[in-house]
Amino acid sequence: MAEDRTDASPRRRELARRAYEYVSEHGLADLSLRPLADTIGTSAGVLMFLFGSKDGLVRAILAEARADELVMLDEVRQATADADLATVAGNVWDWLAAPEHTRLLNLWVEAYGRSLITQDGPLAGFAAETVRDWLEMLEAADAASDPGPERATAVLALLRGSMLDLLSTGERDRVDAAFQLGLRRVLG
């Protein structure tokens, strides 16, 4: 019961958000509570009290990341209501390729990759959840022309691969051209 109270506390939400911002810059791999606590203006003891464990804190950080992802997906849905899959994919790509999203996407890639090799803990299921979130939006955009998941899945793979390439190289023009070529081929 006490955990429910702390889950709803404004301080817990504030520290989860600050921790998420910290991890967006520094990554999850070497997350240590003391440096994190010092940076976000609290103590490791307060973090342990509010989140129960380091895993609890990581779960809260990933919940923040997922909340941002869902906001972005909702914005795309609203901006492209009744649009076809090509338009939706183009809007998503523009968002993914925007330099101001690089830190968030680096964290997303790290969490996604690590969730593929863990069956339990705070990262378990993260990758599968994000795939479902993205496919839901892409399938909705493609429902009128092709009710199956294949085209939406191919577009998701194209988006994900292009994003990884861009994050790795920073070569926007080349990756943009490759994305557009791939999209034309996938959607025919």
Side-chain angles (χ1 to χ4, degrees), residues 29-158:
D30 297 321
L31 181 63
S32 179
L33 291 181
R34 282 199 180 113
L36 168 65
D38 289 345
T39 302
I40 67 173
T42 192
S43 69
V46 168
L47 292 175
M48 294 305 292
F49 173 75
L50 290 174
F51 299 98
S53 65
K54 184 176 174 181
D55 280 357
L57 176 60
V58 171
R59 278 186 197 93
I61 291 167
L62 293 178
E64 292 291 326
R66 185 152 189 261
D68 277 358
E69 172 196 22
L70 293 175
V71 165
M72 184 278 295
L73 291 175
D74 190 50
E75 288 172 355
V76 169
R77 279 186 193 106
Q78 290 177 18
T80 58
D82 300 323
D84 63 3
L85 183 55
T87 302
V88 172
N91 283 11
V92 171
W93 174 245
D94 289 342
W95 190 93
L96 291 172
E100 63 269 19
H101 300 133
T102 299
R103 285 185 1 188
L104 166 65
L105 294 172
N106 284 334
L107 172 61
W108 180 83
V109 168
E110 180 184 6
Y112 189 96
R114 291 182 66 197
S115 78
L116 297 175
I117 58 173
T118 185
Q119 299 301 313
D120 57 0
L123 294 166
F126 180 81
E129 286 177 359
T130 63
V131 167
R132 282 190 297 273
D133 293 337
W134 289 74
L135 276 179
E136 179 183 306
M137 177 192 61
L138 295 170
E139 286 176 5
D142 203 31
S145 61
D146 185 359
E150 295 82 12
R151 286 174 19 130
T153 300
V155 169
L156 177 58
L158 179 61

